[in-house]
Structures are given as C-alpha cells and as structure tokens.
Amino acid sequence: MSSVPDAAAPRFRFLPAVGTWKYHLLLASVAIFFLGPLGGVAASYMNFSLGFFVASQVLSGILGSVVTYGYGAEGKHGANYMQTMAASVASLCAMSVLIQSMVWLGMPQPPAWQLMLFVGCVGMFGVGVGMLYTPLLVDKLQLDYPSGYAVANILRALTDKRLLKASIAKLGGGTGLGILAAWLTEKVAAIAALSVSSSTVGAGMVVGSRITVPAMLMGLIGLGITPYLQGIGWLGPNDPYRKIGFLISLAMICGAALVDLALLAVQAVDRIRGRAQAPADNEPAWKKVNVPRLIAWVVGWGAAVVVVATQVLHQPAGFILFGLALSLLFVLINGIAYGISDNNPISSAFVMSVLLMSLLGLKDPLVGLMASSILLISTSVGCDMQQDRSTGWRLGTNRVVQFRYQVLGIFMGAVLCVVLARVFMGAYPVLSVNQLDHPDVKVAQWSSAMTYKFVGAIRDLGTLSAHKVTALLVGLGIGFTLEVIRKVVRRHPAYLRYVQGSRTGFGVGWTLDSLVLASPYAYAFGGFIALPAAIWFGMGGILTSLFNTVTKRFRREPAPGETVLPEDMSTMSLVGGGLIAGESLFYLFVGLAGLLSLLG
C-alpha cells in the first residue's frame, strides 16, 4: 500500500514514516487485530440481544487517533484508514443473525468454511458497488452522512491541536450529553417513554430542517391515515403506519432516483461527446479511482458469488443473480437514505427483496434467505463504504488506500461473522429457539428483533398481497412526480432570484423545500422509523435552523491569529456529531459490558 507521503516528519522518532510499508503495517495490525474484533464482537452481541447494532466508527476513530497522534494533523488519514477497516469487520460481524435465521427456520447448516466463503465474496462485491456509487452520492450529491460527518470532525480535532482547542468544548460537550441522554433513557422510565435518541437528534442537527421537517411531516401524515389504512385492510388493528410505510418510502426513493439517474445519464452523454468535460488535472489525486478496474472488481466478485452459491451451496443461479441485481439498486437507495438521515434501512431492503421474490413465485425459504442475504450484506458493507468515503471526502483521504483497508476488513469480518454466530448460539442455546413458534419462551436479554423480522418475512414467501404491490406503485409514482416538479421549479432562474433576494423569498423557499415540495428522499425517512424517532429527528433540524438564524445577527469577524474552524465544523455540526458519538459509545460499551458479564 502507498499513499501520498507527508513532508512533515512524525513527532516521535519510533513512528514509521507516512506512506511506508511499516506505516501501513502498524495501522493495519492495530485495526484488524484489536479495533475490528472489538467492534465486531460488540455489533454481533447487540444484534443478538437488542436487534440493532452500532458501527464502531466513532470508537475506532478515537482509538485510532491515539495511535496516529504522533503524526500531527496528517494523522487524521491514518486514523481514518483504521476506522474504515474496523467498521468493515463490525458490519459483517453484525450479519451473524443470518446464521441464526437459518437455525430458526430449521435449515441445514453448511460447513463453516462454506459460509465464510459466501459471506466474504458477497462482502467484496458489496464494497465494490459502494465504491462505484461514491462519485454520485458523496461528490455530486454531497450527502451529509451524519455519522461520517461526526467521525471526520473527531479525527480532525483529535489530531490537530489548533482545531482541538477551538472545538473541544462543543464536540466534548455534545458527546457527554449524548452519553448522559442514553444512560437516562436506559435508567429512567419516564425518559424512556419519550423514545428520545440523542443520535437521532444529533443527526437532525447535522442535516438541518429542510431534511428533517419533511421526515417528521411524513410520520405525522402516516399517523393520520393509519385508521383509514386499518379500515381497508392494509394494516392490522394494532399495526403502526411504518409496517406498510417502509414499502411506500422505498418506492419513493426509487422513483426519485430514476429522475436523478436519468439526468446523470444525459450528463454522461454530454461528457462523452466532449461537452462539459472538465480537465483531468482538476480532480485531486486523492479522489482518483480507476473506474474500469472497479467495474471489473464488481463483475468478478459478482461472478464469484454465483459460483460459490451454485457450486458450493447448491442454490439456483436465477435468484442468486436476482439478489445481485437488487444489490446494485439498493446500495444506491439505502446509500441515499443513509446519507440524508444516518439510517441504513437494511432490514427494510431485506424484506423488500423477499416480497419481490414472492412476486416472482419463489416459495423455497432457504433460497429466499440466501438470495436476500446478498442484498443484506451488500447494503450493510456498501453503504458503510459510502459513509467512510464521505469521511475521507471531508479529510482529503486517499480513496484507493482506504478501499484496500476496507477489503482487509472484509476478510476478517467474514471469518468472525461465522465464528461469533457459532460461539454465541453454542454458549446460549436460547438463541436457537424460534421466537415466532415459541413466543412464551423466556429469552432474557436475547430479543433478536432483527432475526425475528427476517424469519417473519421469509415465512411470507409466495404470499405477496395485492395491497403491497399497490403501495409500491403509489410510492414510486409519488417519488418520481415530486422529484420532476422539484427539478423544474428549483432550476427556474426567476424562482432562484426570488428566494435569494429577500427574507420573504427565503421563507417561501424554506416552505417549499420543507413542506410542499420537499425531497422524496427526506419524506421517505418518515416511513422507515417510528413516529417518535421522526419527531426527534425533526426537532434536531429545527433546533439548528433556529440557532443559525439567531446567531447570524451576532456573528463577528475573527480576530487576527484566531483559529477559524472549517465551515463543516460549525457549532451545531460539532454538538450534533458529539450527540451521535456519545450514544454510539454508550451502546458499544453496554454491549461489551453485557458480553463480559455473561462470560464472567
């Protein structure tokens, strides 16, 4: 591996020079043998016990910054490489619930090496697809990826004394508040009843009200139409809106993405014809990626998935190819949702794939699980790849080197995923009990909510109802139509002059962007999550807008010699990022503490 060498020497003489093989050996060893397994064990435990997992980017970034502190400001890149690798390990380890799903469904267990090979090949395919979409989601759309935003701020602050001094109170205060809020949620019933999440509020503070208010609005609309949907049979008597809302939301994103991809295709044709072609030298060296090689990577590992699935695991090629094709779509769709809201709806993508395979007539649960697991793993590691690239985009980290670290993480994650599944289910037999068939079994802390959702979806194979198809078509139509109207209105010169020319115009622009013609991507988030989460997300964005409006009046010019934080290290982004980091750290340590108490 190599990166652009730094002119500045390390602060400590024992540290290897930046860009040398010893430098990368140091970083990779710490990440793959310590940070990765640490996050991987926590992620696997959390998925078995809580039904969700927190990726280890924040913890790995902080610990990685300790290792690279001696490199000064340049150390942010090394710490970024380490958190990238560690996060890949954790993302794949969290997929151990797929093996638990096989046990719940009574499926025969393939040998461990076969599962490792399959998971590894899918992981390699997924990171390639995620990298393929990076220029669109990170460079062109410049999505925030709130957790990636937070990690970038942490790495910059911890490795640069000037930035640390200027930002420590805001970042540290937000982190402390996030830990405190998470602890109170766990310990105080009244606060828990509010369903408050500091990371959800923090994500809203990072992205702003034009994204969060539409999500909150969609959640409120869903609440309002729930009785009607229950009356026509789309929902059961006690079902919340999001049980059908997630289908509408996924389809809305598909419809909007169709518009954006069509426009990108037109731009690509223009470039090919020589119009709007930017000189190659305008692209920074750290951004450059060999696209033909990347496409070959995706095709090659896609072929490897097919070979392993058909020749080793004896699955039909047709649905395996269908799973790969869906991955190409959903890594983009989930990447957009993740970039806007810090929520990667991997379980929704899994359920959607099962529904689509039902529509094609599939009834074999093992085939459905294997094909859907391709989508699940790909969206997990592919969207994680995009989030890490967003961190790298803010730091100027070499993408090729970061990709290589991610690939090494996939190797370790594929092995640990299977090992941890076998270890946990062997140590705690209750994890092997199908809670759908045995709802009265006492499972203590092992709720396995994600497995519960997967197995429930697989059991619905071959029974896709007409109203779910209608919901998909409705969402697709809304997303497509809304995005077309937005593109026309928001590009009109007269409209742009009006909204930029006065306070009244600004207010009209905010109203259109947040309420009337909001982004379908933003609206969609309200269908993925429970209403309280949508409201807290909305409140975070509103808080940022109010803060920025008030402080704008009192803003002063910086004094000579005063450290000026980068624009994307604003007060609210630092505090919001701290809230995300605080809750992430709290639940990671809760997971590790719970595991250690069981082992003790």
Side-chain angles (χ1 to χ4, degrees), residues 297-523:
W297 175 281
V298 172
V299 172
W301 283 107
V305 171
V306 174
V307 170
V308 171
T310 57
Q311 302 304 310
V312 178
L313 297 174
H314 311 294
Q315 300 298 305
F319 283 103
I320 296 300
L321 289 169
F322 184 67
L324 290 170
L326 283 181
S327 298
L328 293 172
L329 175 63
F330 276 90
V331 171
L332 173 64
I333 292 172
N334 281 36
I336 292 171
Y338 203 15
I340 288 176
S341 62
D342 208 36
N343 175 64
N344 183 4
I346 56 174
S347 56
S348 295
F350 181 94
V351 174
M352 175 70 88
S353 68
V354 173
L355 294 175
L356 293 176
M357 285 186 284
S358 295
L359 190 62
L360 295 175
L362 179 65
K363 296 183 179 180
D364 187 328
L366 178 58
V367 175
L369 181 63
M370 297 304 293
S372 297
S373 68
I374 296 174
L375 187 66
L376 184 72
I377 296 170
S378 295
T379 51
S380 179
V381 300
C383 294
D384 177 63
M385 157 74 74
Q386 294 159 8
Q387 176 175 272
D388 290 336
R389 288 314 82 77
S390 76
T391 300
W393 176 71
R394 297 182 186 282
L395 301 178
T397 302
N398 188 296
R399 280 183 179 168
V400 174
V401 178
Q402 203 174 359
F403 180 81
R404 292 170 183 168
Y405 273 83
Q406 194 129 26
V407 166
L408 290 175
I410 294 297
F411 276 114
M412 176 62 85
V415 174
L416 281 181
C417 171
V418 179
V419 170
L420 290 175
R422 297 286 174 88
V423 168
F424 273 107
M425 286 189 289
Y428 308 102
V430 70
L431 287 171
S432 300
V433 177
N434 187 334
Q435 296 178 23
L436 280 87
D437 292 336
H438 305 282
D440 297 328
V441 171
K442 294 182 179 180
V443 296
Q445 78 274 28
W446 304 109
S447 65
S448 300
M450 189 174 289
T451 307
Y452 193 96
K453 185 184 295 186
F454 293 165
V455 172
I458 290 293
R459 285 185 165 185
D460 286 340
L461 272 172
T463 59
L464 182 62
S465 58
H467 75 265
K468 291 181 179 178
V469 177
T470 303
L472 291 171
L473 294 176
V474 168
L476 188 68
I478 292 174
F480 182 86
T481 303
L482 191 56
E483 190 64 16
V484 169
I485 296 173
R486 276 175 53 82
K487 288 288 189 292
V488 173
V489 171
R490 298 176 81 247
R491 293 186 179 189
H492 197 283
Y495 173 78
L496 293 175
R497 287 194 300 271
Y498 176 68
V499 298
Q500 296 171 5
S502 65
R503 289 185 179 180
T504 301
F506 176 84
V508 170
W510 185 91
T511 302
L512 284 176
D513 280 348
S514 304
L515 300 174
V516 182
L517 290 177
S519 167
Y521 304 126
Y523 275 135

Side-chain angles (χ1 to χ4, degrees), residues 508-595:
V508 170
W510 185 91
T511 302
L512 284 176
D513 280 348
S514 304
L515 300 174
V516 182
L517 290 177
S519 167
Y521 304 126
Y523 275 135
F525 185 55
F528 289 132
I529 59 173
L531 178 61
I535 291 176
W536 287 115
F537 184 62
M539 294 304 294
I542 292 172
L543 183 62
T544 289
S545 293
L546 291 175
F547 179 86
N548 290 339
T549 300
V550 172
T551 56
K552 186 177 180 180
R553 300 178 182 179
F554 304 100
R555 195 167 298 165
R556 62 176 178 81
E557 292 296 324
E562 180 181 353
T563 299
V564 179
L565 293 172
E567 187 176 344
D568 60 351
M569 292 183 74
S570 65
T571 296
M572 297 308 283
S573 69
L574 286 169
V575 175
L579 289 172
I580 296 171
E583 185 172 279
S584 298
L585 289 172
F586 176 82
Y587 282 113
L588 271 175
F589 285 120
V590 164
L592 290 171
L595 180 59

